Amino acid sequence: MHSSAGSSLLGVPLVSPASCRTPAARGAAVTPVCVATPTRPPSTRPAKLSKVETIKDQSDYLRHPLMEEIASEAATNINEAAAQLMKFHGSYQQDNRDKRTSGKGKFYQFMMRTRQPAGLVSNQLYLVMDTLADKYGNGTLRLTTRQTYQLHGVLKEDLKTVFSSVIKNMGSTLGACGDVNRNVLAPPAPYKNRPEYALCDQYAKDIADLLAPQSGAYYDIWLDGEKFFTHDMESPEVTAARMANPFGTNFEGSPEPIYGNVFLPRKFKVAVTVPGDNSVDLFTNDLGLIVITDPATGELQGFNLVVGGGMGRAHRNNDTFARVADPLGYVPKEDIFHAVKAIVATQRDYGRRDDRRQSRLKYLVQEWGVDRFRTVCEQYYGKKMEPFQAMPAWVYKDFLGWTEQGDGNLAYGVFVQSGRLKGDMKVALRRIIERYELPVRLTPEQNLILCDIDPQWRNDIIHTLQSAGVRDVPDVDPLDRLSMACPALPLCGLAIAEAERGLPDLTKRLRALMSSLGFADTEAPKVRVTGCPNGCTRPYMGEIGFVGDGPNS
């Protein structure tokens, strides 16, 4: 078993003793002989750990020096080590390049990102986020490609107020960034009469809970040690599965039973969907789950799993690349949490920790091949995975416009260009959501769905939105409807070109070009724009992808 201190940092990768047991002890036909990566440099010359690994190891499970830096009034920023730890708590330190002043250097502020499994947002949390944006942010809210909020422009002195407000109003930011499982996607389908979609929502939440950091550092820093429980606590099955350790997935006695003291080598992304619905861009995720139900009864049977997707790459570095996930296998419903843990443990123990550009799961799957990866996962899982079940063709859905929920109520999907809620649109949406006490869903395409609408409210909602200049879905150019852009400049530290601010002009020019070539106004390719090659809007899966390469390039 692992020690309470976690894996050793003396070499790379962190190899689990469980992966080196004999077949008799493991109950498996094939056992890897410490098949660790990287293969170069050789084990006689252990690779040097990346700087972030040392910061994690010395942080006391994400506490220090972040706790001290947040409390300090000596500067408007936090130091590099604290900034790395801050990501795990759901925030990035940023420099607003548009507000830099001569002789004063960087203009520091923070972006806070929420954790919203399946994009579900209560009425209470929506209103709180809207208020926080006006009071402590830059007056806008950003809807992300992973069904979360981003709140930009928060000053260091306001961080504790903003974080504690989110936590105390049924929200969380824990694990929204950092080397852990990120927000879990699910189709934003608003149906109340389609049980397979309800299963997606349930398992998105359950897996988010299963893989959430456990040490308590989050509450120590943002609530001064008070652990705040919402009504939506994790299920007993999730708690039991997290602590179960029959095949070496866990660090026994550790505050972080799955992650240990150095967490994962890199971020880990999960999506859940139903057969045929690719609204979540399933194959771009580290791990994708496909709900398999009984055709006759609709009851859950199990899950197809895909692994090894990811978008990030680096310019002029051919060792980095975007990759789509491979089918891994099928697991019955009662084993799904153990299978997820097995996949995460394989990445934790064998993913590279010397080079962060090579640390995502996709590189491990690419180097090993999916069969070898499956064999190692099965050592942690404790049994063979079943064959991947046949799937129907995949279809893209955005759920915009009016939808019957199946319970007598309606849902209305609102197009939000680049996910930026601002100005009259933001005011109108708050008025509607507050007046009718509506919950909402955030979509993987940066849009928003108003849910639980009584049909008699329909005309008032449309009138309120149109009065604010919000286009009804039939009036939105399909080029805009199918486009996405990341925030990029001026806030993202990785951006080297415009994206969100350049998208409206780009689609306008593209429409003019297409019209001159005889395309109908209803025809449009899927366009995705990023200000750097990391690919937050998944441009490599677009029909046309624009990836920032430099100023105006």
Side-chain angles (χ1 to χ4, degrees), residues 489-510:
L489 298 173
L491 298 178
C492 179
L494 300 174
I496 51 179
E498 295 286 359
E500 177 184 339
R501 296 193 297 194
L503 180 63
D505 180 63
L506 190 153
T507 55
K508 185 184 298 182
R509 292 165 57 196
L510 186 56

mmCIF file of all heavy atoms in Angstrom, residues 489-510:
data_model
loop_
_atom_site.group_PDB
_atom_site.id
_atom_site.type_symbol
_atom_site.label_atom_id
_atom_site.label_comp_id
_atom_site.label_asym_id
_atom_site.label_seq_id
_atom_site.Cartn_x
_atom_site.Cartn_y
_atom_site.Cartn_z
ATOM 1 N N LEU A 489 -6.760 37.786 -25.068
ATOM 2 C CA LEU A 489 -6.339 39.111 -24.623
ATOM 3 C C LEU A 489 -7.531 39.919 -24.112
ATOM 4 O O LEU A 489 -8.633 39.765 -24.623
ATOM 5 C CB LEU A 489 -5.660 39.858 -25.780
ATOM 6 C CG LEU A 489 -4.386 39.223 -26.336
ATOM 7 C CD1 LEU A 489 -3.926 39.960 -27.585
ATOM 8 C CD2 LEU A 489 -3.283 39.213 -25.290
ATOM 9 N N PRO A 490 -7.342 40.744 -23.076
ATOM 10 C CA PRO A 490 -6.079 41.133 -22.454
ATOM 11 C C PRO A 490 -5.730 40.357 -21.189
ATOM 12 O O PRO A 490 -4.699 40.617 -20.591
ATOM 13 C CB PRO A 490 -6.347 42.596 -22.086
ATOM 14 C CG PRO A 490 -7.803 42.593 -21.688
ATOM 15 C CD PRO A 490 -8.459 41.613 -22.627
ATOM 16 N N LEU A 491 -6.598 39.402 -20.762
ATOM 17 C CA LEU A 491 -6.442 38.833 -19.429
ATOM 18 C C LEU A 491 -5.660 37.533 -19.370
ATOM 19 O O LEU A 491 -4.901 37.303 -18.436
ATOM 20 C CB LEU A 491 -7.823 38.620 -18.793
ATOM 21 C CG LEU A 491 -8.650 39.894 -18.576
ATOM 22 C CD1 LEU A 491 -10.006 39.553 -17.986
ATOM 23 C CD2 LEU A 491 -7.908 40.853 -17.656
ATOM 24 N N CYS A 492 -5.843 36.648 -20.317
ATOM 25 C CA CYS A 492 -5.204 35.341 -20.236
ATOM 26 C C CYS A 492 -3.700 35.474 -20.436
ATOM 27 O O CYS A 492 -3.243 36.009 -21.450
ATOM 28 C CB CYS A 492 -5.792 34.380 -21.265
ATOM 29 S SG CYS A 492 -5.011 32.744 -21.218
ATOM 30 N N GLY A 493 -2.938 34.951 -19.484
ATOM 31 C CA GLY A 493 -1.496 35.052 -19.551
ATOM 32 C C GLY A 493 -0.872 34.235 -20.662
ATOM 33 O O GLY A 493 0.286 34.458 -21.016
ATOM 34 N N LEU A 494 -1.617 33.295 -21.217
ATOM 35 C CA LEU A 494 -1.093 32.457 -22.287
ATOM 36 C C LEU A 494 -1.398 33.010 -23.673
ATOM 37 O O LEU A 494 -0.837 32.555 -24.669
ATOM 38 C CB LEU A 494 -1.669 31.043 -22.170
ATOM 39 C CG LEU A 494 -1.351 30.302 -20.866
ATOM 40 C CD1 LEU A 494 -2.098 28.985 -20.822
ATOM 41 C CD2 LEU A 494 0.146 30.078 -20.725
ATOM 42 N N ALA A 495 -2.312 33.982 -23.760
ATOM 43 C CA ALA A 495 -2.775 34.467 -25.056
ATOM 44 C C ALA A 495 -1.685 35.227 -25.784
ATOM 45 O O ALA A 495 -0.987 36.065 -25.206
ATOM 46 C CB ALA A 495 -4.001 35.351 -24.878
ATOM 47 N N ILE A 496 -1.569 34.938 -27.084
ATOM 48 C CA ILE A 496 -0.627 35.669 -27.934
ATOM 49 C C ILE A 496 -1.349 36.324 -29.111
ATOM 50 O O ILE A 496 -0.725 36.904 -29.995
ATOM 51 C CB ILE A 496 0.494 34.743 -28.444
ATOM 52 C CG1 ILE A 496 -0.076 33.473 -29.076
ATOM 53 C CG2 ILE A 496 1.447 34.390 -27.314
ATOM 54 C CD1 ILE A 496 0.976 32.518 -29.618
ATOM 55 N N ALA A 497 -2.672 36.200 -29.141
ATOM 56 C CA ALA A 497 -3.479 36.820 -30.197
ATOM 57 C C ALA A 497 -4.893 37.013 -29.663
ATOM 58 O O ALA A 497 -5.265 36.477 -28.623
ATOM 59 C CB ALA A 497 -3.502 35.944 -31.448
ATOM 60 N N GLU A 498 -5.686 37.797 -30.387
ATOM 61 C CA GLU A 498 -7.078 38.006 -30.015
ATOM 62 C C GLU A 498 -7.909 36.755 -30.321
ATOM 63 O O GLU A 498 -7.578 35.968 -31.209
ATOM 64 C CB GLU A 498 -7.671 39.192 -30.789
ATOM 65 C CG GLU A 498 -7.050 40.536 -30.462
ATOM 66 C CD GLU A 498 -7.481 41.079 -29.113
ATOM 67 O OE1 GLU A 498 -8.284 40.423 -28.415
ATOM 68 O OE2 GLU A 498 -7.012 42.179 -28.752
ATOM 69 N N ALA A 499 -9.017 36.611 -29.600
ATOM 70 C CA ALA A 499 -9.975 35.542 -29.892
ATOM 71 C C ALA A 499 -11.387 36.098 -29.713
ATOM 72 O O ALA A 499 -12.056 36.439 -30.672
ATOM 73 C CB ALA A 499 -9.736 34.328 -29.005
ATOM 74 N N GLU A 500 -11.837 36.244 -28.449
ATOM 75 C CA GLU A 500 -13.199 36.737 -28.197
ATOM 76 C C GLU A 500 -13.441 38.098 -28.838
ATOM 77 O O GLU A 500 -14.459 38.319 -29.494
ATOM 78 C CB GLU A 500 -13.447 36.824 -26.684
ATOM 79 C CG GLU A 500 -14.805 37.396 -26.322
ATOM 80 C CD GLU A 500 -14.994 37.567 -24.824
ATOM 81 O OE1 GLU A 500 -14.272 36.900 -24.042
ATOM 82 O OE2 GLU A 500 -15.867 38.363 -24.426
ATOM 83 N N ARG A 501 -12.516 39.023 -28.687
ATOM 84 C CA ARG A 501 -12.719 40.370 -29.221
ATOM 85 C C ARG A 501 -12.634 40.395 -30.747
ATOM 86 O O ARG A 501 -13.170 41.307 -31.384
ATOM 87 C CB ARG A 501 -11.705 41.343 -28.607
ATOM 88 C CG ARG A 501 -11.887 41.503 -27.106
ATOM 89 C CD ARG A 501 -11.116 42.672 -26.531
ATOM 90 N NE ARG A 501 -9.662 42.546 -26.666
ATOM 91 C CZ ARG A 501 -8.788 43.316 -25.990
ATOM 92 N NH1 ARG A 501 -9.239 44.233 -25.136
ATOM 93 N NH2 ARG A 501 -7.485 43.158 -26.158
ATOM 94 N N GLY A 502 -11.978 39.406 -31.341
ATOM 95 C CA GLY A 502 -11.857 39.379 -32.786
ATOM 96 C C GLY A 502 -12.911 38.554 -33.495
ATOM 97 O O GLY A 502 -13.075 38.661 -34.719
ATOM 98 N N LEU A 503 -13.645 37.713 -32.736
ATOM 99 C CA LEU A 503 -14.585 36.794 -33.373
ATOM 100 C C LEU A 503 -15.706 37.474 -34.155
ATOM 101 O O LEU A 503 -16.001 37.057 -35.287
ATOM 102 C CB LEU A 503 -15.186 35.850 -32.319
ATOM 103 C CG LEU A 503 -16.200 34.830 -32.853
ATOM 104 C CD1 LEU A 503 -15.550 33.881 -33.851
ATOM 105 C CD2 LEU A 503 -16.830 34.050 -31.705
ATOM 106 N N PRO A 504 -16.381 38.520 -33.635
ATOM 107 C CA PRO A 504 -17.479 39.115 -34.405
ATOM 108 C C PRO A 504 -17.058 39.595 -35.793
ATOM 109 O O PRO A 504 -17.762 39.368 -36.783
ATOM 110 C CB PRO A 504 -17.944 40.275 -33.516
ATOM 111 C CG PRO A 504 -17.570 39.857 -32.132
ATOM 112 C CD PRO A 504 -16.268 39.137 -32.293
ATOM 113 N N ASP A 505 -15.893 40.244 -35.868
ATOM 114 C CA ASP A 505 -15.416 40.704 -37.169
ATOM 115 C C ASP A 505 -15.025 39.530 -38.063
ATOM 116 O O ASP A 505 -15.269 39.546 -39.279
ATOM 117 C CB ASP A 505 -14.217 41.640 -36.985
ATOM 118 C CG ASP A 505 -13.667 42.159 -38.312
ATOM 119 O OD1 ASP A 505 -14.412 42.862 -39.014
ATOM 120 O OD2 ASP A 505 -12.510 41.839 -38.639
ATOM 121 N N LEU A 506 -14.455 38.512 -37.455
ATOM 122 C CA LEU A 506 -14.028 37.353 -38.226
ATOM 123 C C LEU A 506 -15.225 36.660 -38.884
ATOM 124 O O LEU A 506 -15.190 36.331 -40.077
ATOM 125 C CB LEU A 506 -13.268 36.382 -37.313
ATOM 126 C CG LEU A 506 -12.527 35.221 -37.964
ATOM 127 C CD1 LEU A 506 -11.349 34.797 -37.079
ATOM 128 C CD2 LEU A 506 -13.433 34.024 -38.184
ATOM 129 N N THR A 507 -16.289 36.416 -38.110
ATOM 130 C CA THR A 507 -17.454 35.736 -38.690
ATOM 131 C C THR A 507 -18.157 36.627 -39.720
ATOM 132 O O THR A 507 -18.701 36.122 -40.710
ATOM 133 C CB THR A 507 -18.440 35.303 -37.599
ATOM 134 O OG1 THR A 507 -18.814 36.426 -36.787
ATOM 135 C CG2 THR A 507 -17.835 34.226 -36.713
ATOM 136 N N LYS A 508 -18.131 37.945 -39.500
ATOM 137 C CA LYS A 508 -18.726 38.857 -40.481
ATOM 138 C C LYS A 508 -17.976 38.781 -41.803
ATOM 139 O O LYS A 508 -18.573 38.713 -42.889
ATOM 140 C CB LYS A 508 -18.711 40.282 -39.932
ATOM 141 C CG LYS A 508 -19.414 41.303 -40.825
ATOM 142 C CD LYS A 508 -19.276 42.711 -40.255
ATOM 143 C CE LYS A 508 -19.920 42.818 -38.887
ATOM 144 N NZ LYS A 508 -19.836 44.210 -38.353
ATOM 145 N N ARG A 509 -16.651 38.784 -41.751
ATOM 146 C CA ARG A 509 -15.842 38.684 -42.961
ATOM 147 C C ARG A 509 -16.030 37.317 -43.634
ATOM 148 O O ARG A 509 -16.095 37.218 -44.865
ATOM 149 C CB ARG A 509 -14.370 38.899 -42.619
ATOM 150 C CG ARG A 509 -14.048 40.329 -42.185
ATOM 151 C CD ARG A 509 -12.693 40.413 -41.502
ATOM 152 N NE ARG A 509 -11.617 39.917 -42.364
ATOM 153 C CZ ARG A 509 -10.399 39.598 -41.902
ATOM 154 N NH1 ARG A 509 -10.135 39.713 -40.607
ATOM 155 N NH2 ARG A 509 -9.480 39.175 -42.732
ATOM 156 N N LEU A 510 -16.127 36.281 -42.826
ATOM 157 C CA LEU A 510 -16.303 34.944 -43.378
ATOM 158 C C LEU A 510 -17.662 34.806 -44.067
ATOM 159 O O LEU A 510 -17.774 34.194 -45.139
ATOM 160 C CB LEU A 510 -16.142 33.897 -42.272
ATOM 161 C CG LEU A 510 -16.160 32.428 -42.694
ATOM 162 C CD1 LEU A 510 -15.095 32.145 -43.744
ATOM 163 C CD2 LEU A 510 -15.941 31.525 -41.473
#
